[in-house]
């Protein structure tokens, strides 16, 4: 989430987080790698604002003002990211890797 929000790009957030976590993923066999990938993807969705290309695509496609787009897109993306993270945590508890 922090990389995506601070850089203003979901793609940079995904690639950066994957690069930072790759050594951990390779060294810890108890890590659930599909859930790690899902958590990185969910984190990249958090707070989609004016620096994200997707923000402008939604804003222009729906003819929204900046304030409307910020209120709707940012909130909906953030809810999706948090719900996704919660689901990843539930799946991790329900289906642990042995």
């Amino acid at each position: 989430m922090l990389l995506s929000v601070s850089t203003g790009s979901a793609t940079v957030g995904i690639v950066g987080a994957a690069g930072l976590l790759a050594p951990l993923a390779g060294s810890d066999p108890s890590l659930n790698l599909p859930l790690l990938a899902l958590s990185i993807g969910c984190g990249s969705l958090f707070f989609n604002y004016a620096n994200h290309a997707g923000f402008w695509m939604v804003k222009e496609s729906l003819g929204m003002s900046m304030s409307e787009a910020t209120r709707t897109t940012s909130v909906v993306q953030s809810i999706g990211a948090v719900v996704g993270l919660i689901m990843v945590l539930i799946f991790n508890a329900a289906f642990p890797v042995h």
Side-chain angles (χ1 to χ4, degrees):
M1 287 181 183
L2 291 174
L3 281 173
S4 182
V5 171
S6 64
T7 61
S9 171
T11 306
V12 173
I14 290 170
V15 173
L20 289 170
L21 294 174
L24 174 67
S27 67
D28 189 358
S30 67
L31 208 61
N32 192 330
L33 298 180
L35 292 181
L36 177 63
L38 284 173
S39 66
I40 291 171
C42 290
S44 73
L45 293 176
F46 188 76
F47 196 69
N48 188 352
Y49 64 106
N51 283 357
H52 286 94
F55 175 89
W56 290 101
M57 194 166 66
V58 170
K59 178 195 173 303
E60 294 300 319
S61 296
L62 299 177
M64 296 178 164
S65 69
M66 279 298 290
S67 62
E68 289 172 330
T70 301
R71 283 193 312 258
T72 57
T73 306
S74 299
V75 171
V76 169
Q77 291 281 348
S78 297
I79 290 169
V82 171
V83 169
L85 177 60
I86 291 168
M87 293 304 296
V88 165
L89 293 172
I90 289 170
F91 286 144
N92 190 49
F95 307 106
V97 176
H98 299 294

